[in-house]
Amino acid sequence: MALTANGESALVSAFVRDERLPPDFADLTARLHRPLARRIAAWAEAREAAPLVVGICGPQGCGKSTLTGLLALLLEARDLKVATLSIDDLYLPRTERERLARAVHPLLRTRGVPGTHDPALGVATLDALARAGPTALPRFDKAADDRAPAADWPIFEGPADIVLLEGWCVGARPQPPEALAAAVNSLERDEDPDGTWRGFANAALAGPYRALFGRLDRLALLTAPDFAVVRAWRGEQEDRLRQRLADLGRPPDQTMDGPALDRFVAHYERLTRWIAQDLPGAADVVIRLDAARRPLETLALANAGR
């Protein structure tokens, strides 16, 4: 079914209202969300076997979750069955990360870097979404820092036409071994001086994550101007979380600021920088964002003909 321009506009307006987004967000969708949805729909139409698996990669705080949510709505309005997954929902349970922290390196206690997810769970979920019938979509409870009970996972009735897999390291490839020698920040210098932690994450990308990321049919990449902007975006996320907690009358004890946030973001600096260097030549769509999260071009379609 063709989605008219008026239909798209009405859907976007409702999304902006429901998500309490600023009014100018509708203008952004005309340059990013709506053309990307059309591109994905065309990919799905040209694909012989379903589902089409589209990776959406971008640094922390760049707007991936909002982008994915609106893409799903725009695609569903075209009568496409869309399942959405976040790599965050594939985190290992806390007990498993604690085991890795004891056996391999203490920094693996903090979720996020490769090696702290369950790629096999992601592959199994993609396999299930290709079949008719119900599929439970994994969910992670960040407040509890643990995987949500399976009974609470949402159910998707398959088969899916499209799967959107979003995450900060979706599609990432391992670095050359020689790139691991020098620390990129004080966290690596002081807490991973021999490179065990970063080596483990890199080996995970070369090993178990290849099976998951190898299932991507297409990859959309968002990039930031530099890592300082990523740190600022992540700080804005914490500000919004503090405000939401305040509105609920709850203490901001789940938020970070200052040195704590700097240390947290440092966990992801190496791979964020590497992705921005490595993936633009491999992605199907490259979207360069400015510091205000607006695309510098109207949906730059890199390698779109592949």
Side-chain angles (χ1 to χ4, degrees):
M1 178 186 72
L3 181 61
T4 66
N6 286 341
E8 275 192 347
S9 297
L11 193 153
V12 167
S13 295
F15 183 82
V16 169
R17 181 194 65 237
D18 294 344
E19 297 296 320
R20 299 182 180 179
L21 297 168
D24 62 355
F25 183 84
D27 296 330
L28 173 62
T29 67
R31 301 183 57 203
L32 175 55
H33 304 68
R34 294 164 70 171
L36 181 54
R38 294 179 201 126
R39 173 63 63 176
I40 293 172
W43 289 337
E45 183 178 352
R47 182 172 169 78
E48 293 183 2
L52 172 79
V53 182
V54 180
I56 300 174
C57 177
Q60 292 184 329
C62 72
K64 295 183 300 299
S65 297
T66 302
L67 171 63
T68 302
L70 182 52
L71 285 175
L73 290 176
L74 290 167
L75 292 165
E76 287 166 353
R78 291 171 165 81
D79 286 341
L80 293 164
K81 296 181 68 173
V82 183
T84 61
L85 292 172
S86 170
I87 199 163
D88 289 0
D89 286 317
L90 302 178
Y91 284 133
L92 291 168
R94 184 168 53 189
T95 55
E96 181 61 18
R97 286 182 285 115
E98 292 284 355
R99 186 195 66 78
L100 287 174
R102 293 190 300 270
V104 181
H105 196 285
L107 286 175
L108 290 169
R109 184 174 290 107
T110 301
R111 61 181 189 259
V113 300
T116 64
H117 305 87
D118 185 350
L121 175 61
V123 171
T125 303
L126 293 179
D127 286 342
L129 287 170
R131 300 190 292 265
T135 296
L137 302 179
R139 288 295 182 263
F140 191 88
D141 184 345
K142 291 184 178 179
D145 191 25
D146 211 345
R147 187 171 291 170
D152 296 338
W153 295 2
I155 301 299
F156 182 90
E157 288 293 334
D161 296 312
I162 297 170
V163 179
L164 303 177
L165 174 60
E166 64 94 359
W168 78 279
C169 65
V170 167
R173 304 186 291 193
Q175 290 184 280
E178 60 272 17
L180 303 177
V184 300
N185 54 35
S186 60
L187 177 78
E188 292 190 356
R189 183 194 66 216
D190 299 339
E191 301 186 44
D192 187 39
D194 63 357
T196 298
W197 173 65
R198 54 189 182 264
F200 181 84
N202 205 57
L205 284 177
Y209 285 66
R210 289 183 62 185
L212 177 59
F213 297 158
R215 300 291 295 271
L216 300 177
D217 299 302
R218 300 285 181 169
L219 179 64
L221 173 69
L222 296 92
T223 65
D226 53 43
F227 193 74
V229 170
V230 175
R231 163 59 175 84
W233 287 347
R234 190 62 181 80
E236 291 171 5
Q237 284 185 314
E238 292 297 304
D239 292 341
R240 288 193 292 272
L241 176 57
R242 270 190 291 274
Q243 184 58 56
R244 287 198 297 272
L245 291 172
D247 292 343
L248 295 171
R250 294 165 56 186
D253 53 3
Q254 296 178 18
T255 64
M256 296 175 288
D257 203 354
L261 183 56
D262 289 336
R263 182 180 182 280
F264 178 75
V265 173
H267 288 74
Y268 316 107
E269 181 172 359
R270 169 178 293 277
L271 193 51
T272 298
R273 292 184 182 276
W274 169 242
I275 288 169
Q277 173 188 340
D278 178 56
L279 285 189
D284 299 281
V285 173
V286 179
I287 303 148
R288 298 187 304 133
L289 302 176
D290 64 17
R293 302 182 186 82
R294 301 188 69 85
L296 296 175
E297 305 90 9
T298 299
L299 193 58
L301 295 177
N303 306 325
R306 294 192 321 180

